[in-house]
Amino acid sequence: MRRLACAFALFFCSAPCSAADRGLAATLQRLEPETRFHQVCDIETMKRIQAERGAIRPDRMVIDAIRPASEAGDTLSGDGGAIRSGGKWYRLAFSCRASTDRMRVLSLSYRIGGAIPEKDWERYGLWR
């Protein structure tokens, strides 16, 4: 279910802004709260990294590739995420605080780590 929701999120992130906002909100509302929490944090993290226009230009993200993220109240955090850019996967650590309805990110911090060796991709459920 999370991978399907991620596909929706990626589609809406590339659509025109007003259509994306309405469509994404409707899609997110249909998800169970925990999945919605993950997706909202996924989407916002990718948007912010893309906005930086640095060397990392993500096209995919797996919030719990290496290790599950942990929830504490309205905060989702972890150091076992992965983000793909230029055909390579990189480690990702993050902390994301969302609204109680899980529809908005209130605060976000992240750190992009080193590249994940291709030999480890299958083990972590990553793909080309």
Side-chain angles (χ1 to χ4, degrees), residues 19-40:
D21 291 345
R22 285 190 310 274
L24 182 56
T27 299
L28 289 170
Q29 285 288 356
R30 288 190 291 271
L31 299 174
E32 62 181 271
E34 182 180 349
T35 301
R36 183 182 321 137
F37 195 6
H38 284 238
Q39 290 305 309
V40 165

Side-chain angles (χ1 to χ4, degrees), residues 2-52:
R2 272 201 324 233
R3 291 199 194 269
L4 176 63
C6 188
F8 282 123
L10 290 169
F11 167 77
F12 288 116
C13 283
S14 64
C17 200
S18 61
D21 291 345
R22 285 190 310 274
L24 182 56
T27 299
L28 289 170
Q29 285 288 356
R30 288 190 291 271
L31 299 174
E32 62 181 271
E34 182 180 349
T35 301
R36 183 182 321 137
F37 195 6
H38 284 238
Q39 290 305 309
V40 165
C41 290
D42 255 346
I43 293 163
E44 187 64 24
T45 302
M46 287 186 58
K47 279 183 181 178
R48 290 194 189 180
I49 294 170
Q50 287 171 348
E52 289 178 356

Side-chain angles (χ1 to χ4, degrees), residues 4 9 12 26 29 46 48-49 65-67 69 80 94 96 102 108-109 118 124:
L4 176 63
F12 288 116
Q29 285 288 356
M46 287 186 58
R48 290 194 189 180
I49 294 170
I66 298 166
R67 213 171 357 272
F94 69 95
C96 175
R102 308 297 193 239
L108 173 70
S109 61
E118 191 168 348
Y124 298 138

